[in-house]
Structures are given as structure tokens and as C-alpha cells.
Amino acid sequence: VTSDLEGNVSWTGTAATSVLPGLTGPRVAVTSDAGSAPTASLTLAPNGTAVWSVTAEAEEAQLAAFVYANVAKQFTKTHLNPGLAFLEQQLSVTVNEAGNCNAYSTGNDIHFFPRDQQCENTGLLADVVYHEFGHSLHANSLVRGAGQFDSALSEGLADFLAASITGDHGMGRGFFFTNEALRDIDPANREARWPNDKSTDPHATGEIIGGALWDMRKALITKLGNTAGVAQTLKLYYAVM
């Protein structure tokens, strides 16, 4: 069976059943370049719950990335473009890939690196998964013949997607094993502006559009209230994408 987005499953009969969970579904499929795929046999009573828990980093990254990628897809389907064909395709997510301190999108599938002494396993960081999904969303949302992919713009759009899902303008907390944000699109006492803050690093240049979008979000929330303000922000944000 396939669970719903909250993890609910159903079966016939009134007895407890054995659940063998996996990380392949219609929306997301996770593979790992290191360690084995996590397995479990869970006993699930009628109207009860069962928790799939692992402790090894390589296995934990697989579970976490599966959940976060599904969250990103559902957020996009609910708030941005429910009719986008890309969202109905199975997203390939690779974790524990050789490398460190990074993650990337090919424009379709997304990839994450394991932990080292400097950086956390990026598959464990929710907003890093949301960010990389944002690149794939951008690539699959372009109006062909009218727009083209720009890396700096995509970095800012991907940061804003992560911030929109978490509600936190600080992206990538935990990347260096601290609560400090990897990038902040609403830093105190500073505004990234064009062309003053244009950089050879597209992540830094992307903070300009990311910060502008977050400022717009704050202004629209003040004017329209939280629910309507966020909805209008996301409408304009996706129009930019």
C-alpha cells in the first residue's frame, strides 16, 4: 500500500498487521550511495501508530530526505502550481553521495552529501532539501521561449522557497553544526542591493532577489494579514519563477 501524506495506511480486517516501510513512492524515490537501505518490521494495531526510527547517519539521511522532498512537493502543489506536470513525476533523491559541504540539483533530480568534520549531512537539513528542490522547480516552471535559467536568480528563488516552507528567513541552520544560518535573506541592519552586492558567487547575488521577496512578504502581511499576505507573496513569487 501507499500511505497518504500524513503516513496513514489502511487494511482489511481488525487484527494488528506487520508493516515493512520503504522509501519509494509515487512522488519521491530515495537511493543512497553509501550504507544500506534502512529496513524495519513494524507492528501496527488498528487505529494505532508505529514509528520508523533509525540511528545511523546514512540511514537517517534517507528517511529525512524522503520526508522533506515530499513536503516540498506538497507545498508547491498546494500553494504555487497544482497543475505542474513535474510534480506528478517521481522525483529521484540521492543521499550520501561522495563529496562534502554541498548539495545540488540537476534541474530534475536532487543530490546530497554526507557529514564530515566541517559540515552536516545535507540530506538531514530540511531547508537544504527544499532549496535544491527549488532549483528543479525553477527549471521545470520556466515558460519556454520567454524565460531562461539564470543561476543567481535560481539561488535566490530556491532560498525563498525554503524560507517560505519553514517560515524562517535564515536558510541552512545546522549546516556547520550551529544554529547560525548559512544564508539570511533578511539580515539585521543590512539589505543586499543590485548592483552593489552583485558577486561572482551566484548564492551571494541571489540574496538580492531573495531579500527583496522577503521584504515584500513582510509588507504584504502587514497590509493584508498573514494568510492573505503570504498567499499574495507566493503568487507573485511564482510569477517571477
Side-chain angles (χ1 to χ4, degrees), residues 66-119:
F66 180 79
V67 171
Y68 301 149
N70 272 288
V71 168
K73 273 202 160 186
Q74 183 59 27
F75 181 90
T76 302
K77 191 173 179 68
T78 302
H79 299 288
L80 299 179
N81 187 354
L84 184 65
F86 167 68
L87 299 176
E88 303 307 320
Q89 301 166 8
Q90 188 184 66
L91 176 69
S92 174
V93 179
T94 303
V95 297
N96 305 311
E97 189 169 308
N100 68 303
C101 294
N102 212 341
Y104 68 95
S105 161
T106 66
N108 287 297
D109 45 284
I110 53 179
H111 301 253
F112 304 92
F113 296 165
R115 179 185 302 153
D116 67 4
Q117 290 185 334
Q118 184 181 4
C119 306

Side-chain angles (χ1 to χ4, degrees), residues 14 18 45 54 56 60 76 83 88 115 120 133 139 157 232 241:
T14 58
S18 179
V54 297
E60 190 177 11
T76 302
E88 303 307 320
R115 179 185 302 153
E120 181 57 277
F133 177 79
L157 294 177
Q232 183 66 9
M241 181 174 283

Side-chain angles (χ1 to χ4, degrees), residues 88-179:
E88 303 307 320
Q89 301 166 8
Q90 188 184 66
L91 176 69
S92 174
V93 179
T94 303
V95 297
N96 305 311
E97 189 169 308
N100 68 303
C101 294
N102 212 341
Y104 68 95
S105 161
T106 66
N108 287 297
D109 45 284
I110 53 179
H111 301 253
F112 304 92
F113 296 165
R115 179 185 302 153
D116 67 4
Q117 290 185 334
Q118 184 181 4
C119 306
E120 181 57 277
N121 186 312
T122 49
L124 292 173
L125 301 172
D127 44 358
V128 173
V129 177
Y130 303 153
H131 172 95
E132 297 305 335
F133 177 79
H135 287 309
S136 297
L137 177 64
H138 183 198
N140 283 275
S141 297
L142 291 170
V143 178
R144 305 300 170 188
Q148 64 183 23
F149 190 89
D150 177 83
S151 58
L153 175 62
S154 195
E155 294 296 345
L157 294 177
D159 277 355
F160 187 77
L161 178 67
S164 296
I165 296 174
T166 65
D168 181 4
H169 53 78
M171 206 287 295
R173 300 188 193 277
F175 192 92
F176 295 115
F177 305 109
T178 72
N179 196 46

Side-chain angles (χ1 to χ4, degrees), residues 151-152 155 194-206 208:
S151 58
E155 294 296 345
W194 180 273
N196 309 51
D197 297 294
K198 181 181 178 182
S199 170
T200 55
D201 178 1
H203 297 89
T205 304
I208 301 171

Side-chain angles (χ1 to χ4, degrees), residues 127 131 155-156 158-173 179-191 206-207 209-218 221:
D127 44 358
H131 172 95
E155 294 296 345
D159 277 355
F160 187 77
L161 178 67
S164 296
I165 296 174
T166 65
D168 181 4
H169 53 78
M171 206 287 295
R173 300 188 193 277
N179 196 46
E180 183 178 354
L182 180 64
R183 286 186 298 280
D184 195 331
I185 57 175
D186 192 29
N189 305 315
R190 185 177 74 84
E191 288 290 343
E207 292 182 37
I209 181 66
L213 288 165
W214 193 264
D215 288 346
M216 180 179 69
R217 182 182 191 268
K218 292 192 296 183
I221 288 174

